[in-house]
Amino acid sequence: MIRLSRRLRHAALPALFALSSTASAALPTLASSPFDSDTEGWTFLNDARYFAWSPRDGNPDGHIHGTDIANDQTWYYVAPEAFRGNKLAALNGTLSYDMLQDRATGQYDAADVILIGNGVALVWEFDYNPAETWTHFSVTLNPSAGWRVGDPLGDHATDDDFHTVLSDLSALYIRGEYRNLTGFDNSGLDNVVLLAGVVPEPAPVALLLGGMALIGVAARRLR
């Protein structure tokens, strides 16, 4: 009976391995902007000028960039349609991007990422700012990450807030300005990626359940 029990456990290993492999597989990309050939529909909000695409000096290849006008507004990169709409699949997923500044002096803190949907704004502020070389940023899209409602000092976001916003995401803003000194403030943006959250796939789950069922049947026959 002990030998049979071991065989049954070994028989279940392929199903368990299949489930583990699926869970660790790359998550689906919901939207991305590598900026290899143009601006890909990105625009800007507030006091920027010289907004453009450059075919070089990105991370790697092309990127988009803009210059602050310095009139006491914080300007943002604005995501195109590919990043908007029903993005509930992004819950528990990630938003990531690369950014650089031409100067890293005199930087100030503010909302770095803003998600707007159904009249609700979710705000995220990183605990570091871009350097003069390409700096990677990534944030998980769920309440436990520390998102706020309305502004960086607002109420903590809830599951309901995320469902409200992601079910009809109307705007995604990424901060482009970081210096509060008088004068021009240049930034670049590259490799914006929105990944889906973890979604169990039915085939490996069914395989695992089937293996466990066979173990149960064999165990009953031994009684």
Side-chain angles (χ1 to χ4, degrees), residues 127-213:
D127 58 5
Y128 61 99
N129 291 328
E132 295 176 18
T133 57
W134 287 105
T135 307
H136 186 68
F137 296 86
S138 180
V139 57
T140 303
L141 303 184
N142 65 32
S144 62
W147 288 78
R148 301 285 185 141
V149 178
D151 62 66
L153 299 178
D155 294 335
H156 289 281
T158 65
D159 286 328
D160 287 343
D161 292 326
F162 267 92
H163 279 84
T164 296
V165 171
L166 293 180
S167 65
D168 188 11
L169 187 61
S170 58
L172 163 58
Y173 302 145
I174 296 176
R175 182 157 68 120
E177 177 184 352
Y178 286 83
R179 299 180 71 234
N180 57 10
L181 301 177
T182 302
F184 296 142
D185 181 8
N186 303 309
S187 76
L189 178 67
D190 203 357
N191 302 320
V192 186
V193 179
L194 181 64
L195 291 181
V198 178
V199 179
E201 295 185 15
V205 173
L207 181 62
L208 176 62
L209 293 178
M212 298 304 292

Side-chain angles (χ1 to χ4, degrees), residues 25-43:
L27 297 174
T29 299
L30 300 177
S32 66
S33 289
F35 304 113
D36 290 338
S37 58
D38 54 36
T39 64
E40 300 190 20
W42 284 74
T43 56

Side-chain angles (χ1 to χ4, degrees), residues 96-117:
S96 62
Y97 57 90
D98 298 330
M99 182 171 288
L100 58 72
Q101 294 280 296
D102 64 337
R103 297 181 183 89
T105 58
Q107 292 181 324
Y108 66 95
D109 295 327
D112 294 312
V113 178
I114 303 175
L115 307 175
I116 301 176

